[in-house]
Amino acid sequence: METVVTQQEEGPRFSFDNEITIYTVAELKEKFYSDWSKLAGEILVDLSVVDELDGAGIQLLLQIKNDSEQNNRSVRFVNHSSLVLETFEMLNLIDRLSDPVINPED
């Protein structure tokens, strides 16, 4: 599993690998929050390659969003994969996440 943080024009971009599940969330959470303190400005979380997402993964994404709001940090989920879009829609989370949803396959 690999996560990558790159600096983009619009801000730092945190890219998850393809799996955000009960088997990977502990490591992903540790990596995200260790990088969180080092990053300035809006953080973009790229979901374009996510092809496995379960309840634990959803909880991590919601925690990231909640923590960003509580700490006055801006975190945006971008480049949602088809699986992520379908899951968010099925669970009625599009509005809660309040990010512009862009499907890279369109």
Side-chain angles (χ1 to χ4, degrees):
M1 171 187 12
E2 183 178 339
T3 57
V4 178
V5 178
T6 57
Q7 185 64 40
Q8 304 288 312
E9 185 176 315
E10 61 272 8
R13 181 177 298 255
F14 188 89
S15 299
F16 285 120
D17 204 4
N18 64 329
E19 182 180 347
I20 309 175
T21 68
I22 193 168
Y23 303 107
T24 62
V25 292
E27 186 178 338
L28 292 172
K29 180 179 179 180
E30 181 180 330
K31 175 67 174 149
F32 180 83
Y33 284 101
S34 70
D35 288 337
W36 163 291
S37 61
K38 302 172 196 167
L39 301 174
E42 179 176 56
I43 300 171
L44 305 176
V45 178
D46 190 331
L47 302 173
S48 62
V49 297
V50 176
D51 61 10
E52 240 182 297
L53 181 64
D54 67 6
I58 292 292
Q59 288 176 15
L60 175 61
L61 297 178
L62 288 169
Q63 180 181 6
I64 289 169
K65 189 56 111 169
N66 289 338
D67 288 346
S68 70
E69 293 167 357
Q70 290 177 356
N71 292 290
N72 295 319
R73 298 285 312 260
S74 180
V75 172
R76 247 186 336 130
F77 299 122
V78 297
N79 298 330
H80 305 72
S81 70
S82 294
L83 174 96
V84 170
L85 285 176
E86 289 171 16
T87 304
F88 285 179
E89 287 175 9
M90 180 178 62
L91 298 173
N92 198 25
L93 291 173
I94 297 286
D95 290 338
R96 167 61 191 105
L97 296 174
S98 68
D99 296 322
V101 175
I102 300 168
N103 186 345
E105 297 172 8
D106 288 345

